Amino acid sequence: MNTKKAGILLIILFCGVLFLATSCATSDTYYRQDGGNELWLDEGRLLAIPDKNVIRIIDLKNRLRKEITLPEDRLPEDYKLYLFEQGIVVVDKGLHNLYISENNYHVSNLTMWDWKGKQVFSSPFIDAKSPETQEQFIYTTKPYWVDKNYLILNTGLQMISFDLRNETFDTFYDITEKAKTYQREAVYYETREEFCFISDSKFYFLAHNISTATGCLMKFENGQCTTLFGGKQLLDFKINDKIIIVKEMSVDKEGGTFLYADKNQTDLTEIETIVFPTMEYIDNHTFAFSQYSIDKDLTYVYCFDPVQHVLQQYAMTDINRKQYGYSTPLFQCMRQIAGKPYFVFKKPGLEGDYLLYNQQGEMKALIDINIQLKNFANYTSGYSNPDCFIEYYIDNDNNSIYHLRINRFSEYII
């Protein structure tokens, strides 16, 4: 090989090494979030972040992998984005997306897009502030894109499905007549966002009874709504791709009993009875909750394996009232880091520190940055990476705008 060819080969090799080093490097970039919820995709390997009409998809090293720009001339004038595994739903920011005309429902100010940026549905844009149309609109909360065929609109006292194939409506849950006697107090019996989940192209919600704190769990699938577990009265529920966890009022009413069922089962099995208050966490790997023991003055964390159906108990011996008084750190979540369980607690306060404990109850890290630990709180995806969390800071000029990046708990372990 002559000198000239050898030189060219070395240059090619050097450029190849340089490309690999650059493509594998971790970025410290923060990504702006304005007007929508972030969403974990690809089973926790990617994160989608909306910024007005742009959705940026980043990997676990904060590198931009894809950018989707929605044409603003095909969006409502003042809009908000909701991200789902099915795609992107853009609605009127005032949620003027459902109205009645000639005794029929109609969708307005709403568009839907797939993850390639292709529009799959569009409704007429109507000025909700116009005196002629204002009274026709029905207030709805967050929409739910359940599967490729159905969008669900929640009015609080009703659940209405919208079939995208033929643009027809079906009211599959309705307690408006029962709530009329309560007038303004009827709001207490509405189905709120924290009682609505999408999992495996199915929509689950807790249908509360009038004048009670309990309700039955219902499932919407393929256009049909069914009541689960024989209409058993429940306080709350959590769900992942494997199991459903429910909370039932205990007999002595001093706590709640956790029960579970695989998704294809109709019978519930008890896990544990706990004393209020508690913080429950669920992802695709585990269900976890904490319980403070007055007798021993320490906090226990319980982790339930949804595959083996085994409940593990871990003692956090220094999270007690002797050390913290009555403002003990609150359990946030359990994460698998390098194959071992770790537990995240937050000190009380708006921007309190986060504490990371191992399974022996030893504090392994103090994290003093803002963290988003939504997991199922965005009600659209149970996925997140076990070692990752979302770090953020708030825009100085607008406290509704966030700047996000992915960070790792393992980077803080001492």
Side-chain angles (χ1 to χ4, degrees):
M1 182 181 294
N2 59 41
T3 304
K4 184 176 181 180
K5 288 183 178 179
I8 293 172
L9 181 59
L10 285 172
I11 291 171
I12 293 172
L13 288 172
F14 174 77
C15 291
V17 171
L18 181 62
F19 170 78
L20 288 172
T22 302
S23 63
C24 294
T26 299
S27 170
D28 291 329
T29 303
Y30 285 86
Y31 296 88
R32 198 176 86 149
Q33 178 184 3
D34 183 9
N37 64 286
E38 75 281 356
L39 179 71
W40 289 100
L41 298 170
D42 193 22
E43 298 188 358
R45 288 183 281 267
L46 297 171
L47 182 68
I49 303 171
D51 178 18
K52 291 189 175 179
N53 66 317
V54 178
I55 299 96
R56 297 181 179 90
I57 300 176
I58 65 173
D59 62 18
L60 298 181
K61 295 186 176 181
N62 293 306
R63 298 170 301 190
L64 182 64
R65 289 302 190 186
K66 187 176 181 179
E67 195 168 82
I68 301 170
T69 301
L70 306 180
E72 288 202 294
D73 60 347
R74 293 160 70 183
L75 304 178
E77 182 177 354
D78 192 15
Y79 59 85
K80 182 176 182 178
L81 276 63
Y82 289 103
L83 307 187
F84 299 89
E85 291 182 8
Q86 299 290 340
I88 304 150
V89 180
V90 186
V91 300
D92 174 76
K93 203 168 187 179
L95 295 173
H96 298 101
N97 304 115
L98 184 67
Y99 70 97
I100 291 180
S101 176
E102 297 179 355
N103 295 321
N104 293 318
Y105 286 120
H106 300 273
V107 174
S108 64
N109 306 322
L110 185 148
T111 61
M112 302 171 70
W113 309 75
D114 65 19
W115 284 108
K116 294 181 181 179
K118 179 183 176 182
Q119 183 171 301
V120 298
F121 175 78
S122 179
S123 67
F125 295 151
I126 298 176
D127 183 7
K129 298 178 181 179
S130 170
E132 292 79 15
T133 61
Q134 195 168 12
E135 293 182 357
Q136 297 176 344
F137 282 93
I138 300 171
Y139 174 78
T140 60
T141 63
K142 170 184 174 179
Y144 298 89
W145 193 352
V146 180
D147 59 29
K148 64 180 181 180
N149 296 325
Y150 288 99
L151 181 76
I152 289 179
L153 301 167
N154 178 13
T155 72
L157 298 175
Q158 293 175 310
M159 291 289 179
I160 303 170
S161 67
F162 179 60
D163 192 328
L164 296 165
R165 294 168 296 184
N166 52 25
E167 300 188 13
T168 57
F169 296 87
D170 178 42
T171 303
F172 59 89
Y173 169 72
D174 190 346
I175 58 170
T176 51
E177 289 299 321
K178 294 179 181 178
K180 277 184 178 180
T181 57
Y182 291 88
Q183 298 181 2
R184 291 185 178 181
E185 292 181 359
V187 68
Y188 295 113
Y189 312 117
E190 294 181 351
T191 302
R192 300 183 299 275
E193 287 186 27
E194 59 263 37
F195 296 115
C196 299
F197 291 88
I198 294 176
S199 179
D200 193 26
S201 297
K202 301 174 184 64
F203 177 69
Y204 297 82
F205 68 102
L206 196 64
H208 277 97
N209 294 319
I210 295 293
S211 75
T212 70
T214 62
C216 58
L217 183 60
M218 306 189 77
K219 177 180 71 173
F220 177 92
E221 179 182 10
N222 295 327
Q224 300 296 320
C225 186
T226 56
T227 302
L228 302 181
F229 310 125
K232 192 177 187 68
Q233 296 302 295
L234 308 170
L235 289 166
D236 199 357
F237 79 103
K238 296 285 187 294
I239 192 166
N240 64 19
D241 283 352
K242 301 178 181 67
I243 59 172
I244 300 172
I245 306 283
V246 302
K247 185 196 292 183
E248 181 186 28
M249 183 74 77
S250 62
V251 176
D252 57 11
K253 296 186 179 181
E254 292 182 358
T257 301
F258 287 127
L259 306 99
Y260 77 94
D262 290 338
K263 284 192 173 180
N264 58 353
Q265 292 180 330
T266 57
D267 296 326
L268 290 164
T269 302
E270 184 174 333
I271 299 175
E272 183 78 8
T273 299
I274 56 149
V275 177
F276 292 122
T278 185
M279 171 74 103
E280 301 108 44
Y281 167 84
I282 193 169
D283 62 17
N284 268 1
H285 306 283
T286 189
F287 169 74
F289 59 93
S290 66
Q291 184 177 26
Y292 172 74
S293 171
I294 297 177
D295 296 336
K296 298 183 179 180
D297 190 24
L298 62 85
T299 298
Y300 291 102
V301 175
Y302 296 86
C303 297
F304 183 73
D305 187 326
V307 177
Q308 303 296 327
H309 296 170
V310 175
L311 184 69
Q312 297 283 349
Q313 174 186 285
Y314 302 94
M316 308 291 108
T317 53
D318 66 341
I319 298 184
N320 51 49
R321 291 179 179 174
K322 182 179 180 180
Q323 179 170 340
Y324 290 99
Y326 284 92
S327 299
T328 55
L330 300 175
F331 174 66
Q332 298 294 301
C333 68
M334 174 267 186
R335 292 295 176 91
Q336 288 282 349
I337 304 172
K340 297 179 180 179
Y342 284 82
F343 312 104
V344 182
F345 286 79
K346 181 181 182 295
K347 288 185 178 179
L350 294 176
E351 297 182 0
D353 294 329
Y354 289 84
L355 312 173
L356 189 64
Y357 282 79
N358 65 11
Q359 59 187 320
Q360 286 78 39
E362 303 165 333
M363 193 183 83
K364 304 303 293 183
L366 172 64
I367 306 173
D368 60 354
I369 58 175
N370 293 326
I371 298 175
Q372 286 188 3
L373 293 170
K374 290 185 178 180
N375 63 86
F376 263 76
N378 57 25
Y379 314 117
T380 55
S381 172
Y383 292 110
S384 62
N385 189 284
D387 183 23
C388 292
F389 62 88
I390 300 172
E391 176 190 346
Y392 74 95
Y393 69 89
I394 300 175
D395 196 293
N396 290 329
D397 299 323
N398 188 336
N399 60 13
S400 67
I401 298 175
Y402 292 74
H403 299 268
L404 311 178
R405 70 176 180 182
I406 297 172
N407 208 330
R408 292 180 180 272
F409 286 114
S410 55
E411 296 293 325
Y412 292 86
I413 295 176
I414 55 178

